[in-house]
Amino acid sequence: MMDYETLRVIWWLLVGVLLIGFAITDGFDLGVGALLTLVGKTDNERRVLINTIGPHWDGNQVWFITAGGAIFAAWPLIYATAFSGFYLALMLTLAALWMRPLGFDYRSKIDNAKWRQTWDWLLFVGGLVPALIFGVAFGNLLLGVPFEMDNHLKATYTGSFFGLLTPFALLSGAVSVAMLMMHGATWLQMKTDAQLRSRAEKVAMIFALATSALFALAGLWVGFGLDGYTITSLVDGAAPSNPLTKTVETVAGGWLHNYGQYPWMMVAPALGVVSPLFVALLSLKRLAGWAFVASALSLGGIILTAGFSMFPFLMPSSTLINASLTIWDSTSSYLTLSIMFWVAMVFVPIVLTYTAWSFYTMRGRVRESQIIEQSHSLY
């Protein structure tokens, strides 16, 4: 039997896997949506782009839903605090995500240019806004979230929506937008041909270089411009969850300490900086499949960098730093984590199998001629 401390670390890893899975799968959906009006110049071209993701977007959403459910089950204090603090941002994200199914289903129902252009811009919003907000949220986690907690472990958010839009948080949002648009462009390289593929290759190179540069800039800012958090009291990984029993302090460059203690973690930021450069090179060489793999490694490296930098913190508090939430004091009970672990061992492989099967079944490129010939059976 696994002990409580081990289960807490395992669930940190599992949630990380789910977030990376969501970024890699649903990330290219969001990227294609954000690129819809940039890469697609005509109505038929935009229909081609939509049909490259049409068979996959709803299945890819499973990763998002599963990650949300896992956070609720494994880290209830994180879930409650995030919803109270990021409520408006989360509502904006959900509203933007709603635009996708509506746009996919209704865009081509009416053969009217203005109608379709309106849905094209709504699909653009549905791809860009979530990508931006996800990045801004991660930026605020590194900065520290303004919340406090009373003796009954009730969290109270002390900030405002516009207080989340700080320069570093917006830079983090720009990293997220650039990397997902890069990812969407690498997907389009694999799934389109002719002029669409050429445009996607050029766009992928631009956003790959932007991703590498912005991520490197964010890393320098974290290392030399932000204070990190560190636990100064003894940690009992097997103790019941109570974030108020520890002491925390902020330290200049504190988010870099884990890399000194565990040098192997440097693999993550290295992937975040170098892999996008390979995306640009592979796109130039027209090696679409390998460009997509390099893009996926970029996303994984960037997300892992945030996780490795903050470990063991999950949601630091900038208002009451001792109330900062970590993997040691914000998890569910041992029984809950144990049951959920075995549930995950069954259902995560099922999700992986379904995802792989759907991608294999729907392999191949979508061509403009197919859109013209099957105009009534495709998006």
Side-chain angles (χ1 to χ4, degrees), residues 310-365:
M310 292 178 60
F311 184 88
F313 289 90
L314 299 172
M315 183 178 287
S317 170
S318 59
T319 303
L320 184 64
I321 61 173
N322 288 342
S324 297
L325 302 176
T326 74
I327 70 167
W328 311 124
D329 53 34
S330 60
T331 61
S332 295
S333 67
Y334 172 83
L335 180 61
T336 300
L337 294 184
S338 182
I339 292 174
M340 289 297 298
F341 171 78
W342 294 111
V343 170
M345 290 302 98
V346 173
F347 285 100
V348 170
I350 291 175
V351 173
L352 286 170
T353 302
Y354 162 79
T355 301
W357 176 83
S358 67
F359 278 88
Y360 176 78
T361 301
M362 303 303 295
R363 67 191 182 279
R365 297 182 183 275

Side-chain angles (χ1 to χ4, degrees), residues 187-208:
W187 171 257
L188 292 177
Q189 290 180 49
M190 295 194 302
K191 298 296 290 184
T192 62
D193 64 355
Q195 290 185 342
L196 279 176
R197 180 180 179 181
S198 296
R199 286 189 212 127
E201 289 165 349
K202 293 176 182 177
V203 168
M205 287 187 278
I206 292 171
F207 282 108

Side-chain angles (χ1 to χ4, degrees), residues 124-253:
F124 164 78
V125 170
L128 183 69
V129 170
L132 177 64
I133 292 178
F134 291 147
V136 169
F138 269 99
N140 276 282
L141 290 179
L142 288 163
L143 289 167
V145 180
F147 73 91
E148 56 189 25
M149 194 167 288
D150 62 21
N151 291 330
H152 300 288
L153 302 186
K154 177 185 175 182
T156 302
Y157 184 68
T158 58
S160 66
F161 171 75
F162 291 104
L164 300 174
L165 305 179
T166 61
F168 177 77
L170 291 174
L171 174 60
S172 300
V175 172
S176 178
V177 169
M179 76 178 191
L180 294 185
M181 293 181 81
M182 169 190 71
H183 199 48
T186 60
W187 171 257
L188 292 177
Q189 290 180 49
M190 295 194 302
K191 298 296 290 184
T192 62
D193 64 355
Q195 290 185 342
L196 279 176
R197 180 180 179 181
S198 296
R199 286 189 212 127
E201 289 165 349
K202 293 176 182 177
V203 168
M205 287 187 278
I206 292 171
F207 282 108
L209 295 175
T211 299
S212 182
L214 290 170
F215 180 63
L217 177 59
L220 291 173
W221 197 330
V222 169
F224 301 102
L226 294 185
D227 289 341
Y229 288 64
T230 184
I231 300 174
T232 56
S233 57
L234 293 176
V235 173
D236 183 358
S241 291
N242 185 344
L244 300 179
T245 59
K246 67 180 181 304
T247 57
V248 176
E249 66 179 24
T250 56
V251 181

Side-chain angles (χ1 to χ4, degrees), residues 63-85:
W63 290 94
F64 182 54
I65 296 168
T66 305
I71 292 172
F72 173 76
W75 303 330
L77 287 176
I78 298 291
Y79 194 88
T81 306
F83 265 86
S84 63

